[in-house]
Amino acid sequence: VVILGASEPAYVEMMAETVTAGDPTYTGPLAGVSLGLPVYHITEPEVRERADTSVYQDQIGLSEVAMETEEIWKSIRAVRERMPAE
Amino acid sequence: MTATTMPTIKGISCVIAHTPGLLQFGSKPTRELARDAGLIAKIRGHLRSFDDAVAYGPNQVFIGNHAPEWLWDLPEPWSRHGDEGARARGPAGRIVGEDSFWGLLRAADDFGIVDIAAERLARARELLASDGLWSDAELELVTKTASKTSSAEGAITLHAADGSEVGHVANGYPGDTSQTADILLENLACKASGALALKELISQMRMDPRDVEYVLGCGEEAVGDRYQRGGGAISKAMAEMAGCTQATGSDVKAFCCAPVHALVMAGALVQSGIYKNVVVVGGASLAKLGMKMLGHLAKDMPLLEDTLAAVAILVGPADGSGVRLRLDAIGRHTVMSGGAAGAIYAALVTKPLDQLGLRITDVDKYAVELHNPEITVPAGSGNVPRTNYRIIAGLAVMRGEIQRDQVEAFERTHGMPGFVPTQGHIPAALPYLAHALPKIRDGSLRNAFFIAKGSLFLGKMTNMSDGMSVLVDRAA
């Protein structure tokens, strides 16, 4: 599983696509390489519920307040739906 | 130390050299061109004219002709909505073209490294003379003939934006990998742009250049030779070129946050009484030209990273002019601080503010890494200042100073849009001084907080990042 932490929804989508279908920008080593890995964002409930609450709060809490999490989740979920993990 | 006797930030200059012909020598374009030499045609097809670079809204903000907030009302893309009233000169600085910069490069070179066609140098001299910043003796250095003492082996060819040949840059000592032609070009571009910023500052302040006692360089260039790569300094060379004959200096290295480190050191040197006039100067970063080029080409945008930018800041003793450098409100990212956003911002924002009993919302404006988002967003790097403002606002939420639904508005009330060319250390907060100083003097701004972060880990000596911050306010 790949866990992303970037704060930019468009960047999250690009990275998610890179580790599933392959690099959509065709600039890196994963161009044309379909890894088909499950991919989540660190702030998604599926991930944060598995983390120790105090550690999560300490390490991610402030960043999460600053992120547009709804947009990020929408982007990454769309990638998962388009390209289900193998 | 009492707040009433703290040093004054007397002035700042912000200059841009529009150098589309040099874009190909940026690190990213160099690497891409090594893979595909044919890319040069595509690059040249996406370069901007000097007039377009002058009219570009963020550049007008950088030299002080508009407040940063003006960009909020400018339709996007900014690159297609040039400022019709744009001028190459502003209250904070100026924009010079490539035709001038060839002359500055030549004047910066004392070793016959840069060889430029005589007619180009004559034209450059003419343009630089009309700027009114340079003396006749200094202009003489523009048209001096290159002595060609450097080895011609490994020389690189310079081209103007239109592809026409301009001249050559030779390497330094033969076989010295610390003085290859591309490294010397980077360093000379840093020296020339830094000297231009120094000259501009001296002119703005109407001061005698001989009154500058110490120059702290804060650029990112490594000057030296094979025995001390990066061990040299560039600040004194800039001082010499700008006529600061009574100055010496040294360089402060801390990646992008070096300017704030240097500003605090400058304040300390003044506060201690060692020097009266200390200048912090950041020369431009040639390596960062075209850094996000691929994203811009993919979106068929003009290549906006075609400008070298430099700043110079004068710090002096308390003089009642109104702007204080608060040496009692410095934020430091220490070794202990760690890498989580919460810890970084606690060290850089809340700790220094707590020392003064200020709340986050008591600061009128936060200047963060002010990268122009029109350059970074298309390349997938996001809107850097916006992310910073959301994190500071998040801190304010966690401290119960604002509500969660006020996070979005914080950028407008306490921040600003990014407007600075992506020149590494140059966007690191301080260019906002050009706007903050007059407002603090006239009382329309109470204070401003300057925060810079540096990616220490890029040098592979540590996994840590770095950061430094300082408050500037109105003297009581």
Side-chain angles (χ1 to χ4, degrees):
Chain A
V1 59
V2 178
I3 297 175
L4 302 176
S7 61
E8 189 71 18
Y11 187 67
V12 167
E13 186 169 347
M14 192 178 77
M15 291 310 297
E17 208 167 316
T18 300
V19 297
T20 49
D23 181 356
T25 65
Y26 284 88
T27 52
L30 291 178
V33 181
S34 175
L35 295 179
L37 295 167
V39 58
Y40 291 86
H41 193 265
I42 184 79
T43 58
E44 285 186 278
E46 294 92 326
V47 181
R48 71 171 294 174
E49 278 162 14
R50 285 175 164 78
D52 181 286
T53 313
S54 70
V55 173
Y56 184 91
Q57 207 47 35
D58 203 36
Q59 296 292 318
I60 312 293
L62 181 59
S63 300
E64 188 189 304
V65 176
M67 285 180 198
E68 295 167 87
T69 46
E70 299 280 317
E71 288 300 308
I72 291 170
W73 297 353
K74 216 159 73 186
S75 300
I76 200 163
R77 281 170 187 160
V79 174
R80 282 203 299 266
E81 276 161 28
R82 268 206 311 276
M83 289 156 268
E86 283 165 11
Chain B
M1 186 164 60
T2 62
T4 50
T5 59
M6 288 204 188
T8 303
I9 300 182
K10 298 188 158 200
I12 178 170
S13 67
C14 299
V15 300
I16 282 176
H18 177 243
T19 54
L22 290 177
L23 185 138
Q24 71 174 98
F25 296 110
S27 171
K28 184 67 177 171
T30 300
R31 285 176 285 139
E32 292 301 323
L33 285 165
R35 290 201 314 188
D36 173 14
L39 196 60
I40 192 70
K42 198 171 178 189
I43 289 176
R44 289 200 178 121
H46 285 78
L47 295 175
R48 289 186 295 185
S49 68
F50 178 64
D51 288 345
D52 284 350
V54 170
Y56 187 51
N59 290 350
Q60 285 295 304
V61 172
F62 187 70
I63 62 169
N65 281 333
H66 291 289
E69 293 82 356
W70 170 79
L71 289 170
W72 273 320
D73 298 322
L74 187 67
E76 293 175 10
W78 294 336
S79 57
R80 289 211 200 120
H81 295 90
D83 178 15
E84 285 176 12
R87 287 170 298 125
R89 288 192 64 175
R94 68 182 70 213
I95 304 171
V96 302
E98 183 165 271
D99 290 345
S100 297
F101 198 71
W102 300 127
L104 291 179
L105 264 185
R106 181 71 201 98
D109 166 28
D110 292 334
F111 289 86
I113 295 160
V114 178
D115 184 21
I116 288 175
E119 62 275 17
R120 296 227 184 232
L121 293 178
R123 171 79 182 130
R125 180 174 176 160
E126 219 175 271
L127 289 167
L128 291 167
S130 67
D131 283 348
L133 286 178
W134 308 88
S135 70
D136 287 343
E138 287 161 346
L139 292 170
E140 201 56 47
L141 298 177
V142 172
T143 41
K144 70 183 173 183
T145 314
S147 59
K148 296 185 188 168
T149 52
S150 301
S151 162
E153 198 183 322
I156 52 179
T157 306
L158 299 175
H159 295 273
D162 62 7
S164 58
E165 193 172 313
V166 169
H168 297 89
V169 179
N171 59 8
Y173 189 82
D176 188 340
T177 53
S178 298
Q179 289 190 351
T180 54
D182 57 332
I183 291 175
L184 291 174
L185 176 62
E186 260 182 39
N187 293 348
L188 287 168
C190 181
K191 175 184 169 182
S193 56
L196 177 65
L198 254 176
K199 272 282 187 194
E200 177 74 33
L201 179 73
I202 288 161
S203 158
Q204 253 183 49
M205 304 307 299
R206 294 188 177 85
M207 69 189 291
D208 186 332
R210 290 170 299 187
D211 289 340
V212 175
E213 293 166 275
Y214 204 79
V215 179
L216 278 167
C218 59
E220 298 181 281
E221 272 46 53
V223 177
D225 73 2
R226 58 213 172 277
Y227 294 117
Q228 53 273 307
R229 179 189 316 124
I234 205 164
S235 48
K236 195 171 177 182
M238 291 170 179
E240 179 193 30
M241 189 171 168
C244 303
T245 54
Q246 301 302 309
T248 183
S250 57
D251 290 3
V252 176
K253 296 286 175 205
F255 281 104
C256 300
C257 60
V260 179
H261 278 278
L263 184 68
V264 170
M265 289 179 196
L269 287 169
V270 168
Q271 185 73 10
S272 66
I274 297 174
Y275 305 120
K276 278 199 182 66
N277 291 307
V278 180
V279 175
V280 172
V281 58
S285 174
L286 183 103
K288 295 193 179 71
L289 293 182
M291 186 167 54
K292 311 282 183 193
M293 175 184 84
L294 293 182
H296 301 161
L297 289 177
K299 294 190 163 58
D300 201 22
M301 288 169 58
L303 297 176
L304 301 170
E305 291 171 304
D306 55 358
T307 49
L308 295 169
V311 299
I313 300 157
L314 178 65
V315 181
D319 63 357
S321 70
V323 184
R324 269 188 313 201
L325 180 63
R326 292 300 298 258
L327 294 177
D328 54 351
I330 294 163
R332 296 182 302 138
H333 179 263
T334 64
V335 171
M336 275 285 288
S337 299
I344 292 174
Y345 281 83
L348 295 180
V349 179
T350 49
K351 200 170 167 198
L353 292 183
D354 284 346
Q355 281 166 359
L356 298 183
L358 293 175
R359 299 185 314 159
I360 288 172
T361 49
D362 288 334
V363 171
D364 282 353
K365 284 287 179 185
Y366 287 88
V368 295
E369 285 139 334
L370 296 170
H371 292 278
N372 172 358
E374 187 160 78
I375 294 174
T376 56
V377 171
S381 308
N383 185 325
V384 178
R386 176 165 296 162
T387 305
N388 276 277
Y389 290 126
R390 293 184 67 94
I391 289 181
I392 298 169
L395 259 185
V397 171
M398 290 169 102
R399 285 161 63 99
E401 294 183 24
I402 63 172
Q403 300 300 313
R404 180 75 176 82
D405 59 9
Q406 292 174 289
V407 168
E408 207 67 50
F410 189 87
E411 180 191 9
R412 293 268 175 155
T413 51
H414 294 275
M416 66 199 73
F419 60 90
V420 184
T422 46
Q423 288 265 286
H425 57 298
I426 300 296
L430 298 186
Y432 180 60
L433 279 172
H435 305 277
L437 295 184
K439 285 185 175 174
I440 291 176
R441 285 189 202 113
D442 74 19
S444 57
L445 193 72
R446 287 176 304 172
N447 53 21
F449 198 71
F450 296 82
I451 308 164
K453 299 205 289 313
S455 306
L456 280 197
F457 48 84
L458 294 176
K460 302 208 170 5
M461 292 295 111
T462 173
N463 270 313
M464 286 186 295
S465 65
D466 190 32
M468 192 82 179
S469 61
V470 67
L471 184 78
V472 172
D473 72 359
R474 185 172 164 76

